[in-house]
């Protein structure tokens, strides 16, 4: 097949159980299926945040590849980094409040690893998307009210960008705000086009 001819639309798989990533992928209006990967997300000793999300995005895609031998599989992983430290999920309200007090008036970096594994041709694409948030100077009362209202206990930055968390920020800096929610769609669209699955391609006859 000539490289100038469009490839048939491959089945698309999202290697994630995240409702936020599903919601973002829905925006592209491409049919897909989900399969939750089962991997160990523990950082390796000395592993940098960028290397971690790079590895985990690929690992998630590879974890389901055996079940999908003729598909394009999306893997994605994200970490929040503050002063060089990878932040885990707070799990408790007290930790969430402590985190937000630390972040007040400061800059927090998110790195989102994105992988597209094409099992039809044993090819892959990988990208790490940075995005930064700058917090307002937050009062103790604001932090208290936010944590009580949104309960962001399963979010690495102790906030939810897709919800009330937007009220915490002075500004956002980055190419694609979707990356902050967990799936950088601009980079993903580029990957999909290269794999022959263009969200703006011609409709099937």
């Amino acid at each position: 097949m000539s490289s100038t001819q469009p490839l048939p639309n491959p089945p698309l798989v999202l290697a994630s159980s995240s409702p936020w990533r599903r919601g973002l992928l829905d925006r592209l209006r491409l049919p897909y299926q989900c399969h939750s990967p089962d991997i160990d997300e523990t950082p390796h000793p000395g592993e940098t945040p960028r290397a971690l999300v790079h590895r985990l995005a690929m690992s998630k895609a590879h974890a389901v590849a055996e079940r999908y031998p003729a598909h394009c599989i999306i893997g994605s992983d994200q970490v929040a980094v503050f002063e060089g430290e990878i932040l885990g999920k707070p799990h408790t309200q007290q930790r969430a409040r402590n985190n937000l007090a630390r972040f007040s008036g400061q800059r927090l970096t998110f790195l989102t690893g994105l992988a597209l594994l094409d099992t039809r041709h044993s090819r892959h694409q990988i990208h790490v998307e940075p995005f930064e948030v700058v917090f307002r100077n937050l009062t103790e009362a604001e932090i208290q009210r936010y944590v009580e209202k949104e309960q962001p206990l399963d979010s690495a930055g102790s906030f939810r960008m897709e919800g009330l968390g937007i009220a915490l920020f002075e500004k956002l800096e980055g190419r694609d705000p979707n990356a902050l929610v967990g799936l950088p769609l601009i980079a993903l669209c580029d990957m999909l086009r290269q794999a022959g699955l263009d969200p703006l391609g011609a409709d099937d006859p």
Side-chain angles (χ1 to χ4, degrees):
M1 180 181 290
S2 168
S3 61
T4 61
Q5 293 177 311
L7 294 170
N9 284 350
L12 190 60
V13 178
L14 177 63
S16 175
S17 59
S18 166
W20 313 116
R21 289 192 175 105
R22 290 200 303 269
L24 288 172
L25 188 55
D26 285 344
R27 292 173 57 185
L28 301 187
R29 303 186 183 184
L30 293 171
Y32 70 93
Q33 51 192 314
C34 290
H35 193 110
S36 181
D38 182 17
I39 67 167
D40 181 1
E41 300 186 22
T42 305
H44 291 167
E47 191 170 34
T48 66
R50 180 174 288 270
L52 174 63
V53 295
H54 185 289
R55 175 175 64 82
L56 292 181
M58 280 301 302
S59 295
K60 288 180 178 181
H62 278 293
V64 305
E66 186 174 339
R67 290 175 175 264
Y68 302 98
H71 297 71
C72 283
I73 305 171
I74 301 167
S76 185
D77 193 80
Q78 184 185 75
V79 296
V81 183
F82 181 67
E83 296 180 343
E85 173 192 352
I86 296 176
L87 303 173
K89 298 175 181 178
H91 297 301
T92 70
Q93 289 194 30
Q94 184 61 56
R95 287 182 187 145
R97 289 193 295 268
N98 291 345
N99 282 343
L100 292 175
R102 290 175 64 201
F103 304 156
S104 177
Q106 303 297 313
R107 182 181 299 267
L108 186 64
T109 300
F110 286 81
L111 297 174
T112 304
L114 176 67
L116 186 69
L117 176 62
D118 186 345
T119 55
R120 301 167 305 163
H121 307 297
S122 298
R123 297 173 184 163
H124 73 271
Q125 302 173 61
I126 188 76
H127 173 73
V128 176
E129 184 82 24
F131 199 87
E132 296 188 340
V133 300
V134 179
F135 284 82
R136 297 171 40 243
N137 289 314
L138 303 172
T139 67
E140 184 176 341
E142 285 177 320
I143 292 171
Q144 177 78 23
R145 284 195 297 269
Y146 172 71
V147 172
E148 288 179 354
K149 287 182 177 182
E150 191 135 78
Q151 298 287 318
L153 309 185
D154 60 350
S155 301
S158 299
F159 68 85
R160 293 198 180 109
M161 161 66 179
E162 62 279 4
L164 186 58
I166 195 69
L168 303 172
F169 307 140
E170 176 182 314
K171 59 182 175 180
L172 307 175
E173 295 183 344
R175 179 176 73 147
D176 187 350
N178 299 295
L180 192 54
V181 184
L183 194 65
L185 293 182
I186 293 175
L188 179 59
C189 285
D190 185 52
M191 289 180 172
L192 292 172
R193 284 190 291 267
Q194 293 187 52
L197 184 54
D198 187 349
L200 296 179
D203 294 333
D204 292 333

